[in-house]
Amino acid sequence: MTATGIGASVRRKEDQRFVTGRGHYVDDLTRPGQAYAYFLRSPHAHAVIRAIDTGAARAKPGVLAVLTGEELAADKVGGLICGWMIHSKDGTPMKAGPHPALAQGKVRYVGDHVALVVAESLAEAKDAAEAIQVDYEVLPAVVDAGATQTSGVQIHEVAPDNTVFRWHLGDKSAVDQAFANAKHVTKLDITNNRLVPNAIEPRAAIGEYDPGSDSFTLYTTSQNPHVARLVLSAFIGIAPEHKLRVIAPDVGGGFGSKIFIYAEETVCLWAAKKVGRPVKWTCDRMEAFLCDAHGRDHVTHAEMALGEDGRILALRVSTIANLGAYLSTFASSVPTYLYAPLLSGQYDIPAIYCEVDGVYTNTAPVDAYRGAGRPEATFVVERLVEVAARETGMDPAKFRKRNYIKKFPHQTPVIMTYDAGDYHASLAKALELADYNGFSRRKRESARNGKLRGIGFSSYIEACGIAPSAAVGSLGAGVGLWESAEVRVNPTGSIEILTGSHAHGQGHETTFAQLVSDRLGVSIDTVSVVHGDTDKVQFGMGTYGSRSGAVGMSAIYKAIDKVIAKGKKVAAYVMEASEGDIEFKDGKFSVAGTDKSVGFGDIALQAYIAHKFSGQELEPGLKEGAFYDPTNFTFPAGVHICELELDPDTGIVAIAKWTAVDDFGVLINPMIVEGQVHGGVAQGVGQALHEGAVYDQSGQLVTASYMDYQMPRAIDLPSLTVGMTVTPCPSNPLGVKGCGEAGAIAAPAAVINAITDALGHEDIAMPATPQAVWRAAQKARMPIAAE
Amino acid sequence: MYAFAYHRPTSVRQAANLLGKLDEAKIVAGGHTLLPTMKQRLAAPANLVDLNGVNELRGIERSGRSVTIGAMTTHAEVAESADVKAAIPALAELAEMIGDPAVRHRGTIGGSVANNDPAADYPAACLALGATIVTNKRKIAADEYFKGLFETALGDGEIVTKVSFPIPQKAAYMKFRNPASRYALVGVFVAKRAAEIRVAVTGAGQNGVFRWAAAEEALKKRFAAKSLEGLAHPAEGLNGDIHADVTYRAHLIGVMARRAVAAATDRE
Ligand SMILES: Cc1cc2nc3c(=O)[nH]c(=O)nc-3n(C[C@H](O)[C@H](O)[C@H](O)COP(=O)(O)OP(=O)(O)OC[C@H]3O[C@@H](n4cnc5c(N)ncnc54)[C@H](O)[C@@H]3O)c2cc1C
């Protein structure tokens, strides 16, 4: 290993530029002749558009174009797509209503795109938008997942009861039988609150058309520029793939919300050709609240059957998932295949059955958000487990131990084959770090100060590196989920890594370079990482689902294998030895059994000057590519313990201590991994205590700014205690599992389990705001008052 | 934001003249309330008169009986002022609780009292301490000044020049922050002066800041948190929203009032 290799907590290379404000985000770019776009959005949650009069707007100063769904349809621009086909129980395909990039005939949520104004300046575009006359016939709206199927409101023609699919997974009769034999059944009604992603950089796009080459360029805030290009070409039909370049430069956070192919980016690209000028759009914060795909929003009833000695016999889960007004790019996969297959948690559960109805409502589309399906699953399992332990009078840690999976590989009843793990080890370490034994003493101290103290566990599991392609294809995915890499060694020995992964906060420029450093024996300073440009990187699937380590880096690993193999051939000529005798170690090619060796950089030069071999014997150059398709998902798992104190007089919750013990397999850069845990936990605590998108019954988003939507702040979190255990992942060459979402997956259940522990009852939903906690604490006090 | 003309007077008199002669003119102080509403196109003044060049509106003066704060003094200046900390520590603490550092370094006391946001902090201090709002035309007692939601006794073009706070014997401010905006969901300022005890509540009332007479009455007997035990503020007339319905707000008024009295009496 080198000083900057795998396992070294080196400082992030990209931070110099980010921290000093020298990044290049889409909004920082100005293209020659650039014009500005502004979208007129629907003020109504549900309405028929009777007519749009753009005459007055067109006459406003500075206006270059006012475009509506009519022009879009006339130009045969296709609608936005959902790329994962789900079939209902009865075998029928999901009912996807049309999703035009500019509304055609109807608007279906507040913020829906009605018209585009392109003008010389943003202010002029906004002025003109105010002059557009839209004649709406307002229709009744429905916003709640639980109410939409029987509301009588119909949002899409294809889905009469607003139901996109009625899907299920698992063996229903085995589950029914287990419940019939159960000694105890634990039942819970669970709401998984709707979240707004709130990446620090709002979405932005510049569409550009070059009439000379008849080609387009889209600068965009994307987590997966190649997928964006594929969809914009093959489905939306803006331009053929080879005539469209998509560039995603520095991107300031995504959390899933920048995976999707949205209306605004599509329309800017199309408009650029119509207007003959580059068209720039930058989302403002309120637009982001209204229109970025939201996350979560499930209503669930869940039951757990227990046998003798607190063994889990079966799980029965029924969920309604709010998908919003339209199906976003991967919306259908999140509450189905990214959710139900995780319901076994870390436990040996013989039978599981899960039903999910995906439903339309008059709200913003819902899609993948940090964790995507797994936080929802973990919340169901870990709440059930905690409550089951309480109801049967068992210590929650003991209850978990009794039910943990102990042997690997383990086949769950819901698709997944867990490959490796040691759940007892994580729990033991977490209990020790959290000083679990001292809790009752701390609880008494709190009580003396009039505070209620609680402790809660979350023994989460997740599936990362979503793959293999053939498997996801059989489950309905429209794409393969491999990754590509190219390793370009320059004549001077410096190295460029081209990757189909995309960094938007993860630190790839550092960790990917660490892999190269480790394997080729060079310093990370001689390695640069190239990503986010479809003209540079041939193809890639992008970054989401914590896949860049397990899948993206494995592709680099394979390409490096090929570079080393080619280097050995070159070295054999240079050192006049047979190829079979060449060894590569610590950055040197050497001849086995001799003291002859040549450094990696010299071999790179020899490969390019090609003086020592003929082109007929060996191709010059040192550049190799690889596509990597894994054999399985990876299964990070761990235990988070939240200890908190609540003030029954005000409902304020203060987290006293947070212990996270995670098994992410091999760690490339422990400091970056720890940072990912911190960010994930903050988001998970945000979901549990603070965040929640609220629509009123007419479909207006009440929480459309930071005045009403609370993000977690530094002050809301204690210093985290982060520990690791390591079981290497057997399904990729690096042994890595993925760490980007674990915190957000684990945290909500830990918080709510701790609050309910403090309260002494289970009646509280997320977000557990001060008001909700105060009310729940009133209820907790009642029996005491009655004594 | 719509286009507007910008004016930067250097004296109160110049400012008053500009406000008198210009159409649709508005004062801008820290801009932390006005500019966001202009950006959202909810306000569209044709002329902005910026008071940041008017030096006579800045500064803090302490006399034996009162602390007087110039209208253009920022929240951060009040929070850090040795004079305020010594004379009315509760006021410095209140200023420290407003918004975040950026807000505190731009927002001004004049802007805050002129705006009279029902969730703002200063109105509670003004009312509880019996402050006098001084304008370029007159002096207005706090009791007469706050008129309702975003409404004050200020006339058209009238400029707040300073706010004068009598120094109390004891005072404290307890703020329950709105979890999202960090404005006051309920803020209670209690002040004990030789002749009077006042309890002012901000953030909670449908008509903005108000005095809680029953609590004042109870504290007259003894200025101690115990005196307020069992005293509940009625829910009528309070504000309800997603963060706090009227019942919870009413409850918090009681909690914050007791904690404020405890803090005031503990201060020695
Ligand atoms: C993120 C954020 C958080 C905030 N949090 C809080 C909080 O927790 N508590 C709180 O109390 N406030 C809070 N505020 C409001 C802040 O304190 C404002 O600065 C204040 O309310 C207005 O002061 P300003 O100097 O910015 O006034 P401006 O925004 O410049 O003006 C506000 C209004 O007052 C008028 N005006 C200004 N000065 C005068 C004057 N001298 N005479 C007459 N009229 C005048 C203006 O014409 C305008 O109508 C917050 C603001 C922001 C942006």
Side-chain angles (χ1 to χ4, degrees), chain A residues 649-652 707-708 710 769-772 774, chain B residues 97 117-121 173-188 201-206 208-210 238-254 256:
Chain A
D649 276 344
T650 59
I652 285 188
M707 292 300 281
D708 285 302
Q710 185 195 354
T769 59
Q771 171 168 243
W774 173 71
Chain B
M97 285 185 235
D117 188 312
D121 297 300
Y173 180 61
M174 279 291 151
K175 176 177 184 178
F176 190 96
R177 292 180 166 95
N178 175 310
S181 73
R182 315 261 286 172
Y183 274 83
L185 193 87
V186 167
V188 178
V201 181
T202 189
Q206 275 173 8
V209 67
F210 64 88
L238 298 187
N239 225 351
D241 56 31
I242 58 165
H243 305 287
D245 62 16
V246 293
T247 319
Y248 181 48
R249 266 204 172 77
H251 166 77
L252 285 177
I253 292 173
M256 292 297 119

Side-chain angles (χ1 to χ4, degrees), chain B residues 60 164 184 193-194 199 204 222:
Chain B
I60 298 170
S164 184
R193 289 191 288 150
V199 179
R222 204 175 132 231

Side-chain angles (χ1 to χ4, degrees), chain B residues 27 29-34 75 99 103 107-108 114 120-121 160 175 182-183:
Chain B
I27 291 170
H32 267 53
T33 294
L34 184 58
H75 310 327
V103 173
T108 65
D121 297 300
V160 175
K175 176 177 184 178
R182 315 261 286 172
Y183 274 83

Side-chain angles (χ1 to χ4, degrees), chain A residues 327-403:
Chain A
L327 294 188
S328 172
T329 316
F330 289 108
S332 53
S333 66
V334 178
T336 52
Y337 287 108
L338 299 183
Y339 169 64
L342 275 302
L343 286 171
S344 196
Q346 299 185 357
Y347 310 104
D348 189 355
I349 305 178
I352 297 174
Y353 179 66
C354 176
E355 295 174 286
V356 180
D357 286 5
V359 296
Y360 282 125
T361 59
N362 296 110
T363 62
V366 178
D367 207 325
Y369 170 65
R370 201 170 191 171
R374 293 102 85 206
E376 295 91 315
T378 298
F379 194 73
V380 169
V381 176
E382 287 305 294
R383 284 289 293 134
L384 276 174
V385 162
E386 195 84 18
V387 175
R390 285 172 191 164
E391 287 178 352
T392 53
M394 277 179 74
D395 174 84
K398 273 214 190 86
F399 183 91
R400 285 179 169 83
K401 272 188 218 165
R402 180 154 305 170
N403 286 288

Side-chain angles (χ1 to χ4, degrees), chain B residues 47-187:
Chain B
N47 290 285
L48 274 193
V49 178
D50 184 354
L51 297 185
N52 280 282
V54 184
N55 285 331
E56 61 190 286
L57 291 175
R58 275 180 210 285
I60 298 170
E61 262 174 54
R62 180 186 175 185
S63 70
R65 289 176 173 207
S66 64
V67 172
T68 302
I69 302 175
M72 288 301 291
T73 310
T74 64
H75 310 327
E77 286 162 352
V78 174
E80 285 151 22
S81 157
D83 280 336
V84 179
K85 281 188 195 168
I88 319 178
L91 190 61
E93 288 160 12
L94 174 147
E96 181 68 37
M97 285 185 235
I98 297 175
D100 51 48
V103 173
R104 292 196 289 276
H105 281 85
R106 290 298 306 172
T108 65
I109 189 169
S112 183
V113 300
N115 192 50
N116 191 20
D117 188 312
D121 297 300
Y122 271 127
C126 292
L127 204 53
L129 291 166
T132 303
I133 318 301
V134 183
T135 77
N136 60 333
K137 298 192 173 136
R138 57 192 167 137
K139 291 181 175 177
I140 313 169
D143 284 312
E144 264 76 63
Y145 177 84
F146 298 104
K147 294 287 187 194
L149 296 184
F150 300 100
E151 265 183 51
T152 66
L154 292 176
D156 263 358
E158 191 169 359
I159 302 168
V160 175
T161 54
K162 49 195 168 190
V163 184
S164 184
F165 295 93
I167 297 173
Q169 293 169 348
K170 289 176 181 172
Y173 180 61
M174 279 291 151
K175 176 177 184 178
F176 190 96
R177 292 180 166 95
N178 175 310
S181 73
R182 315 261 286 172
Y183 274 83
L185 193 87
V186 167

